């Protein structure tokens, strides 16, 4: 059961050189449109509101994208204390300003259907908080966007982005296996 009293998030701030590099790279990536930032085209089929966005996938289903090697993955893992945890999925998101839906959480979701750790990094200054929910989908925490900050949390928590109002909102989402790899794994 996921309730407010057991929720926790850790915050990490990256060195300025890394922050600048990731922000610059985020502006240079090729982006692909999706109908909804949590469920894609399935959101419409489920009767959920649509929250369109753009995405760039670095890693998914053990397939590495063409820009994978441009991101400082090893440094990121070290900065957040997960240097030996295997990455399961990594993608960057771009949400454009939608002031008409200010402070409205997008569709609540978990990134995976199995235990995992989520690292969510904010490459640029923007608004559009990240919302966290309990099992009854009540908001239990709002995390503001802050350039250079990465939050890490247990992937069991339903969460959602929200639309920015003033600037595009980039976020780098990385899913990790919960247990560190050993030299034999």
């Amino acid at each position: 059961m996921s309730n407010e009293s057991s929720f926790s998030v850790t915050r990490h701030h990256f060195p300025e050189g890394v922050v600048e590099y990731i922000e610059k790279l985020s502006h240079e990536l090729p982006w692909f449109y999706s109908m909804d930032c949590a469920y894609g085209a399935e959101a419409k089929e489920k009767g959920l509101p649509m929250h369109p966005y753009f995405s760039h996938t670095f890693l998914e289903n053990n397939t590495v994208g063409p820009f994978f090697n441009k991101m400082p993955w090893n440094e990121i893992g070290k900065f957040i204390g997960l240097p030996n945890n295997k990455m399961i999925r990594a993608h960057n998101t771009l949400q454009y300003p939608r002031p008409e839906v200010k402070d409205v959480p997008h569709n609540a979701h978990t990134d995976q259907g199995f235990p995992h750790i989520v690292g969510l990094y904010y490459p640029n200054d923007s608004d559009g908080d990240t919302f966290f929910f309990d099992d009854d989908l009540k908001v239990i925490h709002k995390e503001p966007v802050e350039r250079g900050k990465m939050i890490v949390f247990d992937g069991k928590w339903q969460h959602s982005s929200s639309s920015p109002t003033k600037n595009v909102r980039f976020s780098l989402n990385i899913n990790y296996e919960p247990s560190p790899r050993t030299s034999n794994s």
Side-chain angles (χ1 to χ4, degrees):
M1 179 170 199
S2 301
N3 60 45
E4 185 174 3
S5 64
S6 64
F7 175 76
S8 69
V9 61
T10 59
R11 293 167 188 83
H12 308 269
H13 289 81
F14 292 2
E16 186 57 30
V18 174
V19 171
E20 289 174 7
Y21 177 80
I22 295 174
E23 182 176 18
K24 182 177 183 293
L25 180 61
S26 294
H27 284 279
E28 297 171 353
L29 292 170
W31 294 98
F32 300 90
Y33 175 81
S34 180
M35 294 174 74
D36 182 70
C37 56
Y39 295 103
E42 289 179 38
K44 188 173 187 175
E45 296 166 15
K46 293 180 178 196
L48 297 171
M50 305 298 281
H51 301 284
Y53 83 131
F54 294 86
S55 179
H56 178 91
T57 300
F58 292 104
L59 171 68
E60 188 165 28
N61 299 323
N62 293 315
T63 301
V64 172
F67 288 80
F68 181 86
N69 290 329
K70 293 190 178 281
M71 193 62 75
W73 303 116
N74 291 334
E75 290 83 355
I76 291 170
K78 289 175 189 169
F79 293 148
I80 63 173
L82 299 173
N84 297 314
N85 293 61
K86 181 180 177 184
M87 287 176 36
I88 303 166
R89 175 178 163 239
H91 73 117
N92 212 356
T93 69
L94 183 163
Q95 296 176 349
Y96 53 89
R98 296 177 61 213
E100 71 278 10
V101 290
K102 179 182 172 135
D103 292 325
V104 174
H106 295 161
N107 295 316
H109 65 282
T110 58
D111 293 347
Q112 306 291 338
F114 50 84
H116 62 290
I117 297 170
V118 177
L120 189 58
Y121 175 76
Y122 304 109
N124 69 318
D125 277 323
S126 181
D127 55 343
D129 293 344
T130 300
F131 289 78
F132 292 88
F133 305 88
D134 66 11
D135 288 339
D136 298 321
L137 296 181
K138 292 180 185 163
V139 175
I140 57 171
H141 179 73
K142 284 174 42 172
E143 186 71 32
V145 172
E146 180 185 338
R147 179 180 181 262
K149 175 176 71 175
M150 182 172 231
I151 59 172
V152 179
F153 57 93
D154 187 325
K156 72 180 181 181
W157 291 99
Q158 292 201 64
H159 59 280
S160 76
S161 55
S162 63
S163 296
T165 63
K166 303 171 188 157
N167 188 15
V168 297
R169 178 190 191 267
F170 290 119
S171 61
L172 173 62
N173 179 306
I174 308 170
N175 296 166
Y176 294 94
E177 287 184 348
S179 300
R181 292 175 289 171
T182 64
S183 59
N184 296 328
S185 59

